[in-house]
Amino acid sequence: MVRVFTSSVINAPIDNVWMKIRDFNALPNWHPAIANSFIEDGEPSDKVNCIRHFNLKEGGTIREKLLALSDLDYLFSYSILESPMPLKNYVATLTLKPITDGDLTYAEWTALFDCDIQASKNLVKLIGDGVFSTGFNSLNQIFRE
């Protein structure tokens, strides 16, 4: 099992950040690597077990299933159903916590998955830097404007 952990401090109140990321279908609105997204079968985007289908700007399609969503805990978890990445049993969680000193937000994105040992280093870098850190950097840019 491989673990990826990335965290960031976002210069915005937790409720503002949560409203930006809460919608499981809104990834193209805040993550620069995502070209477009839709929820399969017309399901609501906050319904646990809904499936998000999105295309990457650099090519590739990913399908993910919403496993949990909590407005109380400011978190959602999802699994990858289909991906061009050579991994399996992928489950990720994005969690926000308030930083009361300054009204900031602590954001944490983690993933666990299985893959061939040879692919693990590249996948950790791709997911940690290319997905998680890129998303956090984009959120920081959005809330600076």
Side-chain angles (χ1 to χ4, degrees):
M1 189 63 76
V2 177
R3 181 173 188 257
V4 179
F5 174 89
T6 304
S7 64
S8 183
V9 173
I10 300 171
N11 191 16
I14 193 170
D15 287 325
N16 295 5
V17 179
W18 182 241
M19 291 313 297
K20 189 71 174 171
I21 69 167
R22 181 190 186 277
D23 181 348
F24 194 54
N25 194 39
L27 204 52
N29 297 336
W30 62 270
H31 200 292
I34 311 305
N36 55 56
S37 175
F38 68 90
I39 301 296
E40 295 181 2
D41 301 323
E43 296 278 1
S45 61
D46 61 353
K47 180 181 176 188
V48 171
N49 294 323
C50 74
I51 297 173
R52 164 171 75 189
H53 182 123
F54 63 89
N55 296 301
L56 302 168
K57 287 183 179 173
E58 294 184 6
T61 298
I62 298 177
R63 293 177 67 238
E64 297 173 335
K65 181 178 189 177
L66 183 63
L67 302 175
L69 177 88
S70 174
D71 290 323
L72 181 64
D73 297 318
Y74 298 99
L75 74 80
F76 61 82
S77 293
Y78 60 94
S79 62
I80 289 181
L81 303 176
E82 293 176 30
S83 168
M85 295 180 287
L87 51 72
K88 52 190 172 179
N89 303 317
Y90 180 102
V91 175
T93 301
L94 199 161
T95 307
L96 304 178
K97 299 217 183 285
I99 300 174
T100 56
D101 183 16
D103 205 15
L104 307 171
T105 300
Y106 171 79
E108 176 181 299
W109 209 340
T110 60
L112 293 170
F113 57 89
D114 294 315
C115 66
D116 290 336
I117 193 85
Q118 300 88 347
S120 64
K121 187 175 181 179
N122 288 339
L123 285 171
V124 166
K125 182 163 180 51
L126 173 67
I127 294 165
D129 294 342
V131 179
F132 297 172
S133 289
T134 298
F136 288 154
N137 291 341
S138 177
L139 285 170
N140 269 308
Q141 277 299 117
I142 288 167
F143 288 109
R144 277 191 194 115
E145 297 171 358

